[in-house]
């Protein structure tokens, strides 16, 4: 029997815990859960986020991390970078396309501060058997 789906309160508590984690604070990222989306925000692009081929674009490493965090415990992640991310902020939105017993298939996109889609990804995600009360305090592992 599958574990019950987490409630909105469960997800909000989890987001609060993750947003206070060392890794997300260090990276300047924030995660939130909406009814049909996971949202990862880079609310302030900092100097250390830059470096796309020596330009003022957000580095692909940062964008890849946003995808990985938004999509979840990926077994496979395929990304396409369509345009450079410039501006003061960026936003990643992820959603479930199809769910099975042990895996689910998700998609995500990254938008710049003008709302233009700059990158997309698809991921295959391992479904966690942990409960919302389980050891999920570290979003990096």
């Amino acid at each position: 029997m599958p574990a019950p789906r987490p409630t909105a309160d469960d997800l909000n508590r989890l987001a609060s815990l993750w947003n206070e984690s060392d890794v997300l604070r260090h990276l300047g990222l924030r995660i939130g859960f909406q009814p049909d989306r996971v949202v990862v925000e880079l609310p302030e692009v900092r100097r250390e986020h830059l470096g796309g081929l020596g330009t003022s674009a957000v580095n692909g490493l940062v964008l890849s991390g946003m995808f990985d965090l938004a999509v979840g415990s990926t077994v496979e992640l395929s990304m396409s970078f369509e345009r450079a991310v410039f501006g003061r902020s960026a936003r990643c939105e992820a959603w479930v396309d199809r769910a099975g017993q042990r895996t689910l298939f998700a998609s995500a996109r990254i938008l710049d501060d003008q709302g233009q889609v700059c990158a997309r990804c698809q991921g295959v995600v391992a479904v966690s058997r942990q409960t919302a009360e389980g050891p999920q305090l570290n979003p990096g592992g």
Side-chain angles (χ1 to χ4, degrees):
M1 175 182 233
R5 294 182 69 152
T7 66
D9 286 341
D10 292 335
L11 293 172
N12 288 332
R13 280 192 299 274
L14 183 60
S16 293
L17 287 171
W18 282 6
N19 288 331
E20 293 304 315
S21 71
D22 290 342
V23 69
L24 290 191
R25 288 187 332 183
H26 178 75
L27 294 172
L29 298 175
R30 307 279 303 161
I31 189 168
F33 297 95
Q34 298 177 354
D36 64 342
R37 297 263 194 271
V38 176
V39 176
V40 174
E41 301 269 4
L42 178 61
E44 177 189 356
V45 173
R46 303 183 308 226
R47 184 180 54 79
E48 61 266 25
H49 294 129
L50 304 179
L53 300 173
T55 71
S56 61
V58 176
N59 192 292
L61 176 67
V62 175
L63 303 176
S64 299
M66 291 175 73
F67 276 142
D68 187 56
L69 180 60
V71 171
S73 302
T74 52
V75 174
E76 180 180 326
L77 190 65
S78 174
M79 297 170 273
S80 64
F81 299 103
E82 299 172 6
R83 63 185 314 136
V85 177
F86 294 103
R88 296 176 180 225
S89 64
R91 174 184 176 96
C92 180
E93 301 174 343
W95 56 92
V96 174
D97 294 318
R98 191 173 72 240
Q101 293 272 337
R102 294 196 169 111
T103 56
L104 61 85
F105 300 86
S107 296
R109 63 186 185 177
I110 292 178
L111 302 102
D112 64 15
D113 63 358
Q114 302 298 308
Q116 296 180 60
V117 175
C118 299
R120 298 176 197 274
C121 88
Q122 274 94 37
V124 179
V125 180
V127 175
S128 174
R129 299 197 189 290
Q130 295 177 346
T131 65
E133 294 80 34
Q136 302 175 5
L137 301 181
N138 184 0

